[in-house]
Amino acid sequence: MAESRESLHGEWSGRWAFILAATGSAVGLGNVWKFPYITGENGGGAFVLVYLLCIAIIGIPIMMAEVMLGRRGRRSPINTMRHLAAEEGRSPAWQLMGWGGLLAGTFILSFYSVIAGWAVAYFFRTAAGTFDGLTADGVGSIFTGLIGDPERLLAWHTLFMVMTTIVVARGVRSGLEKAVRFLMPALFVLLLVMVGYAMNAEYAGGLGQARGDSPFMAGLNFLFVADFGKISGNGVLVALGHAFFTLSLGMGAIMVYGSYLPKNVSIARTSITIAVMDTLVALLAGMAIFPIVFANGLEPGSGPGLIFNTLPIAFGRMPGGVFFGSLFFLLLTFAAWTSAISLIEPIVAWLVENRGHSRTYAATLSGGVVWLLGVGSVFSFNIWSGEEYQLFGKTFFDILDYLTANIMLPLGGLLIALFAGWRLRRATCVEELAMGAAPAFNLWYFVIRYISPVAVVLIFLKAIGVL
Ligand code: PFF
C-alpha cells in the first residue's frame, strides 16, 4: 500500500526540515553567480520577465509534480519511476527519466564544483584583504590570474568535491538541516547589505557625467525594464533552462528529497515557499551586482566571471569590506555546498538501493567520477580554452552547462509533467497532493497537463528556429 510505504534512507523531521533542505538545494551558485551573468548576456529586463514567468507557470507546477512523485515512490528517482509506472500499469521505459537525471546530475556537479572552487578561493582572497582599494582593472586581473592557473583551480575543485562527498557519506539529514537554518538567512541579510551599498554607489571617474541617473537606477532599469527587442529565441530557452536549474528541477534532486518527505506535509504550500525564496535571492543578487557593473563601466554580458569582477570592487571600498567580503564568499560556498549535496544524492541513493553499497562507498565512488569529469571544466578556462578545443565555439564547460540546463533539465521536467498529468491516475494525484480545495487542485492539474508541457515544447521549437 502506498500509504504505509517508507523510504529506506529515513525521513525529514517535518515540513520545515524539508523546506530548508530543498531551499538549500535550490539556492546556490545558480542564483548568485549564474542568474546575473546570463541576465547580462541576454539583455536584461525582457529576459528577467520571461524567467519569472517560467518559474510561475512551469517551475512551480513541475516542482509540485516532482515532489509528489518522490513522496509517492519513496525511492531513488530511477526506482521511483519504475515502481510508479508498474503500479499505474504504465511502460517501464519511464524509468529512463531517472537515468537521464543521474547523468544530468553528474554533468552539472562536475562543473558546479569548479565554480564553487572559485568562491572558496575568493573567501581566502577577501579575508586576506587582497581587494583593498583596488580599481576595477585590478580586480579583473586577479580573476584572470585565478582561472588561468589550472593547478590552483584543480586544488579548489578537489577540496570542494571532498567536502561534498564527506557530507553525503554521512547521510543527508545530519548537519544539513542545521546548516541551512542559519546560513541561508545570513546569506539573505548579506545580500541586503550589498544592495544597500549598491544604492549609494557612484559612477567612477567621469562615467556618470553624461547620464542623469545613479548606478543603482541604471541597474534597476537594466533588470526590470523589459525591451523585447533584446531577447532572442535562444535567450528564451536560456531563461526556461535557468528556471529549472535554479529550482533544482528535472533531474531527480527534488524528487529524491521529496521521497524523504513525511506524509502530512502540504506539497503545494511548500513548493511555493521554496520558489519564492529562491527567486528573491536571485533578484537581490542582480540588484547588488548591476549597479556596480554600471558604476565602473563594466560589460554586463562579460560572462561567468561577472560576480568575481564586480562584488570585490565594492568589498575593496566599503567600510568593513574584508569582513563582509569574506563572510559573503563563505556563505556562497555553503550555498553551493548544500546544492552540490542534492546533485549527487540521487546517484548515492540508487547505488545504496540497487547495488547494496554503504553510503560511504557509494558517495566516494560517485564523487570520484564527478571529480574526474570536472577536470575538463578546469581546463576549459586555461589550457583548453583555445579554439582548437572548442565545438561550435563552446568550451567543454560551456557545452556541459548548455546541454544540462537548456536541454536535459527541461526535457526531464517535460517528462515529469507528462507522467504526472497523463500517466498517473487522477485519483493518485488527488490523494498525494491532498490539496483540500478542489479549485486549487483543478488549476494545478490543468496547468501540469496542458500549460507547462506545451510551453516547454513551444520554447524548444522557438529556440531551434521552427517557430
Ligand atoms: N539549484 C542549484 C542552484 O541554483 O545553484 C543548482 C542545482 C542543484 C541544479 C540541484 C540542479 C539540481 F538538481
Side-chain angles (χ1 to χ4, degrees):
M1 283 249 326
E3 289 71 46
S4 57
R5 204 178 278 160
E6 275 180 19
S7 170
L8 183 73
H9 316 272
E11 256 190 19
W12 305 112
S13 54
R15 167 175 145 87
W16 271 99
F18 172 74
I19 292 189
L20 288 168
T23 309
S25 167
V27 176
L29 295 172
N31 309 62
V32 180
W33 160 74
K34 196 171 179 191
F35 171 73
Y37 99 73
I38 57 176
T39 299
E41 284 180 342
N42 289 285
F47 176 86
V48 174
L49 193 64
V50 175
Y51 156 77
L52 292 175
L53 281 174
C54 287
I55 296 275
I57 64 175
I58 303 174
I60 293 175
I62 292 186
M63 179 179 265
M64 289 173 58
E66 193 172 332
V67 176
M68 174 186 84
L69 295 178
R71 185 166 72 181
R72 187 82 186 171
R74 288 266 185 249
R75 295 169 174 84
S76 70
I78 295 176
N79 293 331
T80 282
M81 291 304 287
R82 200 186 47 237
H83 265 87
L84 293 183
E87 206 166 71
E88 306 274 327
R90 304 301 181 180
S91 158
W94 281 102
Q95 65 179 293
L96 285 175
M97 187 263 132
W99 284 102
L102 247 55
L103 202 63
T106 308
F107 286 174
I108 295 175
L109 186 53
S110 78
F111 69 79
Y112 201 85
S113 163
V114 175
I115 311 291
W118 300 358
V120 185
Y122 268 60
F123 161 68
F124 290 106
R125 285 280 154 99
T126 32
T130 312
F131 299 109
D132 261 356
L134 282 191
T135 60
D137 280 348
V139 168
S141 64
I142 289 186
F143 180 69
T144 320
L146 172 70
I147 63 167
D149 183 343
E151 277 146 34
R152 264 193 291 162
L153 289 194
L154 197 57
W156 294 125
H157 163 55
T158 307
L159 174 68
F160 187 80
M161 274 315 298
V162 170
M163 284 163 49
T164 303
T165 307
I166 289 174
V167 175
V168 176
R170 292 176 154 206
V172 160
R173 266 195 51 191
S174 46
L176 183 66
E177 276 184 49
K178 265 189 234 113
V180 180
R181 194 179 297 261
F182 296 106
L183 299 173
M184 288 295 136
L187 179 64
F188 198 82
V189 171
L190 213 58
L191 279 169
L192 284 176
V193 171
M194 293 309 294
V195 174
Y197 175 86
M199 279 179 181
N200 300 311
E202 283 172 14
Y203 285 109
L207 282 174
Q209 273 149 23
R211 329 179 39 143
D213 60 356
S214 64
F216 188 64
M217 287 316 292
L220 289 190
N221 266 325
F222 183 77
L223 272 174
F224 297 117
V225 178
D227 171 357
F228 283 94
K230 288 196 184 147
I231 187 167
S232 62
N234 188 59
V236 175
L237 178 62
V238 175
L240 171 75
H242 189 63
F244 281 99
F245 186 89
T246 193
L247 293 178
S248 305
L249 295 180
M251 58 142 281
I254 288 294
M255 194 184 288
V256 85
Y257 277 12
S259 75
Y260 312 146
L261 184 63
K263 194 77 198 163
N264 55 2
V265 174
S266 155
I267 291 179
R269 261 175 49 206
T270 327
S271 301
I272 293 171
T273 310
I274 295 163
V276 168
M277 293 200 280
D278 185 76
T279 307
L280 281 179
V281 173
L283 294 178
L284 282 182
M287 287 163 65
I289 287 166
F290 285 108
I292 304 176
V293 170
F294 295 117
N296 294 281
L298 300 171
E299 182 46 56
S302 62
L306 191 65
I307 65 161
F308 299 97
N309 287 323
T310 49
L311 293 182
I313 304 177
F315 295 135
R317 290 182 195 162
M318 62 202 256
V322 168
F323 171 75
F324 286 123
S326 42
L327 186 60
F328 176 82
F329 284 112
L330 185 68
L331 293 172
L332 182 59
T333 303
F334 270 105
W337 201 5
T338 53
S339 301
I341 291 164
S342 74
L343 278 159
I344 205 170
E345 177 66 16
I347 311 175
V348 171
W350 180 79
L351 284 171
V352 171
E353 284 169 15
N354 287 45
R355 294 280 179 271
H357 295 317
S358 68
R359 278 195 74 93
T360 307
Y361 182 81
T364 312
L365 184 70
S366 42
V369 171
V370 170
W371 175 84
L372 196 63
L373 197 63
V375 177
S377 289
V378 164
F379 291 165
S380 297
F381 296 98
N382 35 71
I383 54 182
W384 286 355
S385 63
E387 273 179 28
E388 65 276 28
Y389 295 103
Q390 296 182 2
L391 207 64
F392 306 115
K394 289 187 185 310
T395 62
F396 184 79
F397 158 79
D398 294 332
I399 292 172
L400 284 190
D401 176 32
Y402 194 93
L403 180 72
T404 50
N406 304 335
I407 299 171
M408 296 176 85
L409 298 185
L411 205 60
L414 178 63
L415 291 176
I416 288 171
L418 292 176
F419 187 74
W422 297 92
R423 283 295 171 259
L424 229 48
R425 274 165 295 153
R426 189 172 187 280
T428 308
C429 297
V430 171
E431 182 193 321
E432 200 59 48
L433 287 179
M435 287 169 79
F441 175 83
N442 290 340
L443 175 67
W444 172 81
Y445 201 56
F446 180 77
V447 173
I448 205 75
R449 283 167 73 100
Y450 300 101
I451 308 286
S452 315
V454 170
V456 172
V457 171
L458 286 181
I459 294 174
F460 269 133
L461 293 179
K462 174 125 182 87
I464 58 173
V466 174
L467 284 182

